[in-house]
């Protein structure tokens, strides 16, 4: 354990302390999202680890008296980030009734941008990670400094996927909400007919001011508008681009809802029989009067500076992945968004990333075979081993990082400890 804590300090994890190699619950076994981010960045230097943490499953043979072939399944499951991002490396951590954590390195599917996200105490850690990456996209696309909104909206639909949105079909009534956000990037391709996503029929309150915004990117333009149309007023207003854009641009407006408006919806995409290609991202609608109070509503320019998401996790952050291999710290990293990322929590099985690095620092030959001892066997996640099972170290590393094997973590700790003792004896 001393070697793991020494490694953590070298990485810069100054708010972390480790007392076991698996990540089992202990009051003194703690870390922060910021420290875990530094650990993930350090793991980039371990090619075997990065390759393994990008896997979803693998198969291997176990030799010995109880010889068998096993298939390991990743603990990354039902990931809602997959629709818009390609996961390059990931690791989960969970302590029942205490915390559910996730660390992911991913890249956008439509652009050459990579992110690192860490979530602690996520109600649904995958949804929280997608939120972080979506927020990171917004910040990257805005081309201006964007600061987190200090008021976390509690009464909105962002946490519940896209069930409040329709693609040109259906009509339904929504309850009163403080805000609405569409939780994904949307392809807005139109060929002379309007192609849009739109809200259900919202309960816009006459006299209330509403802020509406989205990010747009137009790659081909012939006619119409790429943007949104606000219909909670008697004379609809359309805001957007009528040209090819230089990357992503933010468009927005503040509108006062009127009595007697016929539709009470907001449409996003190709408007007015558009003939164009583009994308819509980070759609947001906020009832400014309800949130801030009558007469206290912020201006459009004030609202344009903010990020409007309530992260569905206790703590988290998203970083633009650096392109260099210099020692990282939070002076030279580009943090796009964070929520209580320096608060101490329980890392759970994210610990195994550090366990793997310390193991690889001491054991170079992964084609050696490991014999499992009774003292190695631990409960919890991972394949159920028996004393005497024999497995290649390379396969064992896969099992620890893909299915989060607690028994392999114990065996690795034993092997690394034995190697350190031998090294110390040679140096005496």
């Amino acid at each position: 354990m001393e070697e793991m804590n020494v490694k953590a300090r070298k990485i810069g994890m100054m708010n972390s302390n480790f007392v076991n190699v698996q990540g089992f619950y202990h009051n003194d076994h703690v870390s922060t999202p910021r420290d875990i981010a530094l650990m993930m960045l350090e793991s980039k230097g371990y090619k075997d680890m990065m390759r393994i943490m990008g896997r979803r499953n693998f198969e291997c043979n176990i030799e010995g008296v109880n010889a068998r072939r096993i298939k390991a399944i990743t603990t990354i499951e039902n990931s809602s980030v997959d629709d818009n991002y390609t996961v390059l490396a990931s690791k989960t951590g969970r302590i029942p009734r205490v915390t559910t954590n996730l660390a992911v390195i991913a890249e956008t599917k439509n652009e050459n941008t990579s992110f690192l996200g860490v979530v602690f105490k996520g109600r649904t850690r995958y949804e929280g990670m997608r939120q972080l990456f979506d927020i990171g996209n917004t910040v990257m696309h805005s081309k201006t400094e964007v600061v987190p909104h200090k008021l976390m909206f509690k009464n909105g639909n962002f946490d519940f996927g896209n069930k409040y949105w329709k693609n040109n079909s259906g009509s339904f009534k929504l309850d009163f909400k403080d805000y609405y956000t569409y939780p994904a990037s949307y392809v807005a391709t139109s060929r002379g007919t309007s192609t849009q996503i739109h809200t259900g029929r919202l309960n816009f309150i006459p006299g209330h001011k509403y802020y509406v915004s989205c990010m747009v990117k137009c790659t081909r333009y012939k006619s119409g508008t790429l943007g949104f149309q606000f219909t909670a007023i008697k004379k609809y207003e359309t805001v957007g681009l009528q040209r090819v854009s230089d990357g992503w641009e933010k468009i927005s407006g503040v509108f006062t809802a009127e009595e007697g408006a016929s539709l009470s919806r907001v449409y996003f995409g190709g408007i007015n029989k558009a003939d164009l290609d583009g994308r819509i991202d980070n759609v947001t609608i906020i009832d400014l009067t309800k949130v801030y109070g009558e007469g206290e509503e912020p201006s459009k320019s004030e609202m344009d500076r903010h990020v409007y998401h309530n992260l569905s996790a206790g703590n988290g952050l998203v970083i633009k992945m650096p392109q260099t291999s210099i020692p990282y710290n939070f002076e030279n990293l580009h943090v796009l968004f964070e929520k209580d990322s320096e608060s101490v929590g329980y890392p759970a099985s994210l610990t195994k990333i550090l366990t793997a690095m310390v193991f690889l620092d001491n054991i170079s030959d992964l084609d050696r075979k490991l014999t499992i001892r009774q003292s190695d066997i631990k409960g919890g996640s991972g394949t159920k081993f028996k004393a005497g099972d024999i497995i290649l170290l390379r396969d064992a590393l896969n099992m620890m990082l893909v299915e989060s094997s607690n028994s392999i973590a114990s065996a690795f700790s034993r092997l690394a400890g034995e190697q350190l003792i031998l090294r110390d004896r040679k140096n005496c």
Side-chain angles (χ1 to χ4, degrees):
M1 291 314 308
E2 180 182 355
E3 192 73 10
M4 285 182 65
N5 284 300
V6 168
K7 179 76 171 180
R9 297 296 178 270
K10 287 181 179 178
I11 295 172
M13 302 171 68
M14 299 305 177
N15 294 307
S16 298
N17 185 66
F18 299 93
V19 300
N20 61 73
V21 296
Q22 297 88 1
F24 292 145
Y25 175 80
H26 190 286
N27 281 336
D28 295 327
H29 191 99
V30 295
S31 189
T32 69
R34 276 194 168 217
D35 280 3
I36 296 299
L38 292 174
M39 184 171 67
M40 285 290 286
L41 289 169
E42 181 72 12
S43 72
K44 284 179 57 186
Y46 296 77
K47 292 183 179 179
D48 285 317
M49 285 184 61
M50 290 298 292
R51 176 178 51 80
I52 291 169
M53 289 196 294
R55 285 183 169 178
R56 294 301 173 96
N57 56 68
F58 88 106
E59 295 184 22
C60 69
N61 293 318
I62 295 179
E63 301 175 1
V65 176
N66 299 293
R68 59 201 184 275
R69 185 165 181 80
I70 62 168
K71 182 175 182 178
I73 305 296
T74 180
T75 53
I76 302 291
E77 56 187 19
N78 194 27
S79 174
S80 63
V81 304
D82 283 339
D83 286 344
N84 292 303
Y85 305 96
T86 300
V87 174
L88 304 178
S90 59
K91 185 72 186 76
T92 61
R94 177 176 177 267
I95 301 173
R97 296 180 297 279
V98 176
T99 191
T100 53
N101 306 337
L102 180 62
V104 175
I105 296 174
E107 62 183 7
T108 56
K109 289 187 175 180
N110 301 298
E111 297 176 45
N112 187 27
T113 304
S114 298
F115 300 112
L116 163 60
V118 180
V119 167
F120 270 28
K121 293 187 290 187
R123 282 179 288 168
T124 61
R125 51 191 165 187
Y126 307 110
E127 186 76 2
M129 188 61 66
R130 181 193 54 74
Q131 290 174 3
L132 280 176
F133 288 160
D134 284 353
I135 294 169
N137 251 331
T138 301
V139 175
M140 290 291 296
H141 297 158
S142 68
K143 299 182 181 179
T144 60
E145 181 181 0
V146 181
V147 297
H149 201 287
K150 292 182 179 179
L151 175 61
M152 291 298 183
F153 303 103
K154 299 300 183 185
N155 180 26
N157 79 328
F158 185 77
D159 297 341
F160 304 102
N162 62 2
K163 71 176 184 180
Y164 289 125
W165 300 81
K166 290 285 186 181
N167 289 333
N168 276 339
S169 64
S171 178
F172 49 94
K173 202 94 168 177
L174 300 185
D175 295 331
F176 291 99
K177 298 287 185 182
D178 291 352
Y179 78 105
Y180 304 88
T181 34
Y182 186 69
S185 181
Y186 169 69
V187 177
T189 297
S190 297
R191 294 292 186 272
T193 58
S194 297
T195 302
Q196 309 141 346
I197 56 172
H198 60 78
T199 65
R201 192 177 297 274
L202 303 180
N203 282 309
F204 287 109
I205 302 171
H208 278 216
K209 291 184 177 181
Y210 291 86
Y211 174 77
V212 182
S213 72
C214 63
M215 303 299 300
V216 297
K217 180 169 67 173
C218 185
T219 55
R220 182 189 68 85
Y221 179 81
K222 186 174 181 180
S223 63
T225 300
L226 177 63
F228 65 82
Q229 187 174 68
F230 188 83
T231 69
I233 49 181
K234 293 177 181 177
K235 187 177 181 180
Y236 304 161
E237 288 196 35
T238 300
V239 178
L241 298 183
Q242 295 181 327
R243 56 177 170 78
V244 172
S245 61
D246 180 19
W248 288 87
E249 298 184 25
K250 184 171 186 174
I251 60 172
S252 63
V254 173
F255 309 91
T256 301
E258 297 177 356
E259 191 79 54
S262 60
L263 280 179
S264 294
R265 284 192 182 129
V266 184
Y267 293 85
F268 295 87
I271 310 293
N272 298 331
K273 297 183 179 179
D275 188 351
L276 52 82
D277 294 329
R279 297 189 72 87
I280 299 281
D281 201 357
N282 195 49
V283 166
T284 303
I285 307 168
I286 300 173
D287 185 338
L288 298 178
T289 306
K290 191 168 185 287
V291 172
Y292 294 95
E294 187 174 356
E296 302 296 326
E297 300 95 339
S299 67
K300 174 182 174 298
S301 61
E302 289 174 309
M303 295 299 293
D304 283 343
R305 295 180 59 245
H306 298 156
V307 171
Y308 309 102
H309 296 308
N310 180 23
L311 182 65
S312 63
N315 321 85
L317 81 164
V318 59
I319 296 169
K320 180 185 178 184
M321 282 295 290
Q323 301 300 313
T324 61
S325 298
I326 62 173
Y328 303 115
N329 57 61
F330 279 89
E331 297 298 322
N332 58 28
L333 289 172
H334 188 179
V335 178
L336 301 170
F337 181 88
E338 55 188 336
K339 177 184 176 184
D340 296 333
S341 65
E342 296 182 85
S343 295
V344 172
Y346 302 105
S349 285
L350 297 180
T351 301
K352 294 185 178 88
I353 301 170
L354 186 60
T355 301
M357 289 192 287
V358 171
F359 173 75
L360 292 170
D361 287 343
N362 291 280
I363 305 292
S364 58
D365 183 7
L366 295 182
D367 292 321
R368 287 172 49 189
K369 292 184 178 180
L370 164 67
T371 300
I372 298 294
R373 297 179 182 177
Q374 187 62 45
S375 59
D376 297 328
I377 298 174
K378 305 295 179 185
S381 59
T383 294
K384 306 307 178 187
F385 284 98
K386 297 178 181 180
D389 283 346
I390 301 170
I391 184 172
L392 281 175
L393 288 180
R394 189 178 307 280
D395 291 337
L397 184 62
N398 273 273
M399 298 184 76
M400 187 177 74
L401 294 175
V402 173
E403 64 170 10
S404 204
S405 171
N406 290 324
S407 297
I408 295 297
S410 296
F412 278 4
S413 176
R414 172 173 58 81
L415 289 181
E418 292 170 354
Q419 187 66 29
L420 285 167
I421 291 171
L422 287 174
R423 191 177 304 163
D424 289 344
R425 285 175 180 172
K426 287 181 180 180
N427 293 332
C428 288

